[in-house]
Amino acid sequence: MSVQNLPLAKAINLGLQAAMAADPKVLLMGEDIGTLGGVFRVTEGLKTEFGEHRVLDTPLAESGIVGSAIGLAMRGYRPVVEIQFDGFIYPAFDQITSQLAKMTFRHEGALSMPVVIRVPYGGHIGAVEHHQESPEAYFAHTPGLRLVSPSNPHDAYWMIQEAIASNDPVMFFEPKSRYWPKGDVDMSASGYPLHASRVVREGTDVTLVGHGAMVSMMLQAADVAAGEGTSIEVIDLRSISPIDYAPILSSVAKTGRLVVAQEAPGFASVGSEIAATVHERSFYLLEAPVLRVSAFDTPFPPAKQEAVYLPDADRILDAVDRALSY
Amino acid sequence: MPFQSRYVDGVSSSADDTMVQLLTPEGKFKPSASAEEFLPYFEKLTDADYRKFYREMVTVRRYDTEATNLQRQGQLALWVPSHGQEGAQVGSAFATKDQDHIFPAYREHAIAHIRGVDLINIIRQFKGFTHGGWNPFDPKHKNFHIYTLVIGSHALHSTGYAMGIKFDGATNTGKPDKDEAVIVYFGDGATSQGDVSEAFVFAASYQTPQVFFIQNNHWAISVPVSVQARVPLYTRGEGFGVPGTQIDGNDVFASFAVTAKHMDDARSGKGPSLIEAHTYRIGAHTSSDDPTKYRSDAELQDWIKKDPIARLETFLKASGTEEKFFAEVHQEAADFAADIRRRTVELTGLDSSSMFDSVYSEPHVLMDEQRQWLAAYDASFEEEAQA
């Protein structure tokens, strides 16, 4: 059957399985990903199927995992690394930003770095500190890395395979609050290139753009707005670096209003980058300034405050109203 | 009583029996008791090998002096001298096999030369033409990887590479001439880096075919090794499951014999191990450093007496090598340095748009846009000039 109804976590699992079956050089590395199947069970069953040299339960050391993945990639492997939680990625920061990202450049193109770093990220799960962060802007600022984030099971299944096929390092941000809801996955074709953004709901009055878990939040906001007579176009960014601006600029040409939504703090964020670029490229087409809806510029607070900290459909709609007021 | 470091600042307590030495600082062949298990490797060497070691050490020291001078004359932004460490480098490099992979830090000029790297490429790095300089995967460079400037970070790359060798089944096959292994070089300062500790952990966990080679030159810029370690560094790996051997790093024979055995052990499935080579950075850390601010002249003079080249020269002369050989080697080294000087001065040309070419292996929209923007920007000045 070419369409399956799956949770996003299972879609990634099947995507990993397909990539590993297709290429014996693909191997998985991370903490607890083998026998346990990962704390989110994304790699469940793969160690049994492919063996302990294809699915490595590594020592508990993030820099060690990424640094040794670099060496394995030099040897011709295509490592797929799991960082257990977003807030645990920083011990690997040097290996990712100074080593992995710059290896191809340092070797003047003589060496490719086909390494994927999977990062379950974002909030809405009520967890303790360091388990709900959105660190993508740190990495988007680093030349040499590609960043993508699927918002739905279909994209997750295909994008993980495309990320593994890329000869450049790809950071794969998995919206962990979306791991469990099911969606249709067309197992026969992806439909979009890895770095394409995509209009997921058409509208005429205001454009919303975001990635990961924000996409379902934006669609929820669009439903509410429709009931109030406002037509919202929703764009799923999919690729955080590079950003595919064509669908965004076409949409803005139609609506004249853009709101960017993200779970990350707004200061020096991906949303800031999009806002600046759209202002530069579409100044005369805009009816209102591009507005950002972000988390607050505080550390991720204790879980009892996360509903206040994270933007929701109401905060998005508040920005939509402000955009329409110009 | 507080635990005493076995190091006094700058000078190791080299009096103990653990340090493997074959050739004394006075140039006498007098193996230490600890050298016994390594002697079979030394015994494979011929007179021609001794002379080859000597030629390499002299050539690269002359190269290093020339590069230091070129820096002082404004030709290079920076230079990282290798003066004093030739014994550790030349002996260990000749102990590797062509199929082995070598991950250097950034002072391993002698090893680069032995593995076939044209040393102008290191000059190109320090003159600002490249961040790398050669392709380690080009067979003519015999798997000598490019320099790494973030201290210790390459230890993990070497361990990952060695994990790959093991997963490929390319080691411990019973064919030592085909079996692959990895050697990674770093200094005493690097042993404090978390990445080096994590490399020990991964190496031990996966039993990688790998040798960690510490060139303990006693100073991490201005900080003495006693700050990095309260125990001898050859014991640093023990708690990780990476056993070590301490050698006189200014003894090229000890460096050869001990590295050859450790690499053979790595190839035959005995897992990772470590070598601590006691040596000394006679020069500055880099051309921007001033070692007179932190170490004494007495200490320097003491180490000059232990020079790796002088002791081998004494040994060679005592064993009948003619003066003519030494004159020839010094002339060759002078010619080598003159050639490097000429080519350094002649280095030109770096297309400004090449910075966009290899950030990614695959096409990237920002690289395309910015390459085009720069071309148009540059062209606008030409148009202005013509107008």
Side-chain angles (χ1 to χ4, degrees):
Chain A
M1 197 164 126
S2 75
V3 176
Q4 292 188 29
N5 194 252
L6 301 168
L8 189 147
K10 183 64 181 172
I12 295 174
N13 178 277
L14 293 179
L16 291 169
Q17 185 191 38
M20 294 180 80
D23 184 350
K25 290 296 184 186
V26 175
L27 54 78
L28 312 186
M29 306 172 68
E31 298 159 5
D32 308 295
I33 67 164
T35 306
L36 181 67
V39 295
F40 292 105
R41 306 293 184 268
V42 172
T43 52
E44 185 139 49
L46 298 176
K47 182 176 175 184
T48 305
E49 182 173 351
F50 293 101
E52 64 177 4
H53 282 168
R54 299 285 304 281
V55 181
L56 276 60
D57 271 322
T58 63
L60 206 167
E62 287 77 12
S63 188
I65 295 168
V66 176
S68 56
I70 290 170
L72 281 158
M74 288 175 166
R75 180 73 187 178
Y77 283 87
R78 304 182 83 85
V80 182
V81 165
E82 176 177 305
I83 299 292
Q84 195 162 74
F85 282 91
D86 34 58
F88 298 157
I89 200 167
Y90 307 111
F93 199 78
D94 173 71
Q95 287 293 346
I96 296 172
T97 58
S98 282
Q99 306 304 327
L100 179 62
K102 297 182 174 79
M103 270 300 167
T104 297
F105 190 71
R106 195 176 296 150
H107 283 82
E108 298 175 326
L111 178 69
S112 289
M113 271 289 122
V115 176
V116 175
I117 300 182
R118 295 180 37 239
V119 190
Y121 85 109
H124 305 287
I125 67 162
V128 292
E129 195 181 6
H130 315 300
H131 290 66
Q132 307 215 79
E133 299 179 8
S134 295
E136 58 268 30
Y138 291 114
F139 302 99
H141 193 64
T142 302
L145 300 174
R146 297 174 182 270
L147 277 67
V148 299
S149 181
S151 69
N152 60 75
H154 174 84
D155 279 350
Y157 175 74
W158 286 106
M159 287 168 74
I160 189 65
Q161 294 180 68
E162 290 156 358
I164 292 168
S166 171
N167 286 320
D168 290 318
V170 178
M171 300 193 67
F172 194 82
F173 287 91
E174 301 172 4
K176 66 172 94 81
S177 65
R178 305 300 301 169
Y179 268 149
W180 302 286
K182 289 186 177 180
D184 283 346
V185 178
D186 182 344
M187 311 296 280
S188 62
S190 157
Y192 296 88
L194 181 61
H195 291 294
S197 59
R198 184 185 151 201
V199 176
V200 292
R201 176 185 174 120
E202 292 191 1
T204 54
D205 298 335
V206 177
T207 303
L208 290 178
V209 62
H211 63 271
M214 259 312 138
V215 175
S216 60
M217 209 69 83
M218 295 189 300
L219 288 170
Q220 203 185 320
D223 275 344
V224 175
E228 295 167 354
T230 301
S231 169
I232 288 183
E233 181 144 302
V234 177
I235 296 177
D236 181 352
L237 200 56
R238 298 173 83 253
S239 177
I240 300 166
S241 177
I243 289 169
D244 175 20
Y245 278 105
I248 302 170
L249 297 176
S250 305
S251 183
V252 168
K254 181 170 64 178
T255 63
R257 292 175 169 85
L258 177 65
V259 173
V260 189
Q262 58 191 355
E263 278 191 39
F267 187 85
S269 62
V270 173
S272 306
E273 177 61 31
I274 294 172
T277 302
V278 171
H279 279 125
E280 283 177 4
R281 298 193 188 177
S282 300
F283 186 69
Y284 288 108
L285 298 172
L286 289 168
E287 302 291 340
V290 178
L291 298 177
R292 285 170 293 161
V293 181
S294 314
F296 294 109
D297 290 305
T298 68
F300 202 104
K304 294 298 178 197
Q305 290 174 321
E306 76 172 297
V308 178
Y309 171 77
L310 291 170
D312 59 7
D314 283 339
R315 289 243 288 275
I316 294 170
L317 287 167
D318 174 72
V320 165
D321 288 346
R322 279 187 285 134
L324 285 166
S325 73
Y326 280 88
Chain B
M1 196 179 119
F3 182 77
Q4 289 293 309
S5 172
R6 292 180 61 186
Y7 296 108
V8 289
D9 288 356
V11 186
S12 67
S13 54
S14 58
D16 71 42
D17 300 332
T18 54
M19 185 182 284
V20 177
Q21 186 183 70
L22 279 69
L23 198 57
T24 68
E26 297 75 30
K28 291 219 163 54
F29 185 74
K30 192 180 159 195
S32 60
S34 56
E36 192 178 343
E37 60 176 313
F38 305 104
L39 286 177
Y41 287 90
F42 171 75
E43 284 156 7
K44 290 179 194 162
L45 295 174
T46 63
D47 287 354
D49 291 321
Y50 306 159
R51 288 196 290 271
K52 184 173 69 178
F53 291 180
Y54 182 83
R55 178 178 276 112
E56 277 299 333
M57 289 198 288
V58 170
T59 300
V60 172
R61 181 168 297 179
R62 186 68 189 79
Y63 162 80
D64 186 67
T65 303
E66 197 68 29
T68 299
N69 293 344
L70 283 161
Q71 194 282 331
R72 287 292 183 248
Q73 290 156 4
Q75 282 289 326
L76 306 183
L78 187 77
W79 185 245
V80 181
S82 55
H83 187 150
Q85 300 182 210
E86 297 89 348
Q89 294 187 11
V90 168
S92 61
F94 277 123
T96 59
K97 295 185 174 170
D98 283 1
Q99 71 268 25
D100 295 330
H101 275 254
I102 299 180
F103 289 78
Y106 49 74
R107 204 186 291 282
E108 283 63 61
H109 313 325
I111 304 168
H113 189 236
I114 289 166
R115 296 299 279 197
V117 173
D118 181 348
L119 294 191
I120 195 68
N121 288 315
I122 300 174
I123 299 270
R124 285 173 61 236
Q125 178 173 17
F126 290 103
K127 199 170 177 174
F129 282 86
T130 176
H131 287 334
W134 59 91
N135 176 4
F137 302 96
D138 181 331
K140 73 182 179 198
H141 299 134
K142 290 185 187 160
N143 309 322
F144 185 76
H145 287 255
I146 58 177
Y147 284 177
T148 305
L149 304 184
V150 179
I151 304 295
S153 66
H154 62 304
L156 282 166
H157 309 156
S158 73
T159 297
Y161 197 92
M163 287 164 66
I165 290 175
K166 183 146 190 209
F167 297 165
D168 287 346
T171 192
N172 194 22
T173 64
K175 295 177 188 158
D177 291 337
K178 294 252 169 68
D179 286 345
E180 298 177 41
V182 166
I183 184 167
V184 56
Y185 291 84
F186 48 85
D188 41 301
T191 62
S192 296
Q193 286 283 2
D195 276 2
V196 170
S197 285
E198 293 190 23
F200 290 154
V201 170
F202 278 65
S205 190
Y206 293 97
Q207 286 295 291
T208 51
Q210 180 176 22
V211 174
F212 295 92
F213 194 104
I214 303 171
Q215 289 179 83
N216 175 2
N217 71 15
H218 291 84
W219 291 93
I221 305 188
S222 66
V223 178
V225 65
S226 57
V227 174
Q228 315 291 345
R230 302 294 288 177
V231 297
L233 285 172
Y234 78 93
T235 66
R236 177 61 67 87
E238 275 173 18
F240 295 96
V242 182
T245 302
Q246 187 181 51
I247 68 169
D248 179 347
N250 285 4
D251 171 2
V252 69
F253 292 161
S255 181
F256 173 85
V258 172
T259 306
K261 178 165 193 322
H262 277 249
M263 288 297 275
D264 267 7
D265 287 352
R267 279 189 204 93
S268 60
K270 295 198 174 82
S273 64
L274 179 157
I275 297 168
E276 179 201 8
H278 270 238
T279 183
Y280 196 76
R281 160 166 56 76
I282 297 295
H285 165 69
T286 70
S287 49
S288 302
D289 178 32
D290 175 8
T292 64
K293 287 190 74 174
Y294 53 81
R295 62 187 197 188
S296 72
D297 189 55
E299 179 187 307
L300 177 63
Q301 295 308 321
D302 185 53
W303 276 98
I304 286 172
K305 285 181 203 150
K306 299 177 189 169
D307 186 75
I309 296 178
R311 75 171 79 174
L312 183 59
E313 190 167 318
T314 305
F315 172 82
L316 288 173
K317 284 178 177 169
S319 50
T321 305
E322 292 174 10
E323 281 299 335
K324 189 172 150 238
F325 164 76
F326 299 102
E328 273 172 15
V329 167
H330 283 276
Q331 186 56 51
E332 279 169 29
D335 292 346
F336 185 86
D339 182 60
I340 287 288
R341 166 171 289 274
R342 177 183 59 76
R343 292 161 73 201
T344 301
V345 174
E346 285 172 1
L347 281 174
T348 52
L350 188 62
D351 177 7
S352 55
S353 73
S354 71
M355 75 175 83
F356 302 113
D357 293 348
S358 51
V359 181
Y360 301 90
S361 292
E362 295 181 7
H364 191 283
V365 62
L366 279 185
M367 298 302 101
D368 295 341
E369 285 174 9
Q370 291 175 17
R371 185 188 291 108
Q372 283 167 23
W373 184 91
L374 180 61
Y377 181 71
D378 285 345
S380 72
F381 292 105
E382 286 161 26
E383 283 158 22
E384 248 173 50
Q386 281 164 11

